[in-house]
Amino acid sequence: MGINLQQEILLMTGTTFTSRQYWQKNNSEDGNSLSESEQLQDACWNGLLKEMLPEICRDDQKLYLWQIKENRSCIDIQLSEYPEEPDPFFSIDPNTILQVQTNN
């Protein structure tokens, strides 16, 4: 099997960027009952990641959204060509970094 191209994006919650409402795809009534983090995750699953971050999500890469991990102050978005757990050594997830550091 060849090399699996992977990309990891951290979106910090509680910022002015994530509090914007422009990335909501539909104005459903239940959207107001979701937390900011849940609304952001919903927007990513609905395909709005390229609209929110056009300079990060390039069109020439065929990466698919495989997983979103919710942390206390951020969400970790994992994109790749096919599902595979990212290498902890190269991860930008704060929880993963702390685990790798304690093992060293």
Side-chain angles (χ1 to χ4, degrees):
M1 192 167 269
I3 296 173
N4 180 24
L5 184 60
Q6 296 179 331
Q7 183 176 10
E8 196 172 9
I9 302 170
L10 274 184
L11 290 178
M12 304 307 291
T13 55
T15 63
T16 55
F17 174 77
T18 58
S19 65
R20 294 180 190 166
Q21 299 298 315
Y22 73 88
W23 38 260
Q24 287 186 344
K25 195 169 197 170
N26 55 3
N27 296 329
S28 62
E29 294 178 12
D30 63 335
N32 294 334
S33 65
L34 298 176
S35 70
E36 177 184 308
S37 178
E38 291 170 334
Q39 288 177 5
L40 193 57
Q41 290 179 48
D42 192 43
C44 292
W45 285 119
N46 286 332
L48 295 179
L49 190 60
K50 286 186 180 185
E51 292 178 30
M52 290 190 295
L53 303 167
E55 54 280 330
I56 293 178
C57 302
R58 299 185 345 216
D59 288 335
D60 61 336
Q61 295 176 336
K62 298 295 183 192
L63 300 178
Y64 302 98
L65 175 61
W66 292 108
Q67 188 174 26
I68 297 178
K69 295 180 184 177
E70 184 175 2
N71 294 318
R72 185 183 315 173
S73 60
C74 64
I75 61 171
D76 180 21
I77 302 166
Q78 297 178 3
L79 307 166
S80 65
E81 294 174 320
Y82 56 86
E84 183 176 70
E85 196 65 31
D87 186 351
F89 185 77
F90 296 109
S91 179
I92 60 173
D93 179 21
N95 294 330
T96 305
I97 291 171
L98 291 174
Q99 291 174 359
V100 169
Q101 282 185 343
T102 57
N103 290 336
N104 287 335

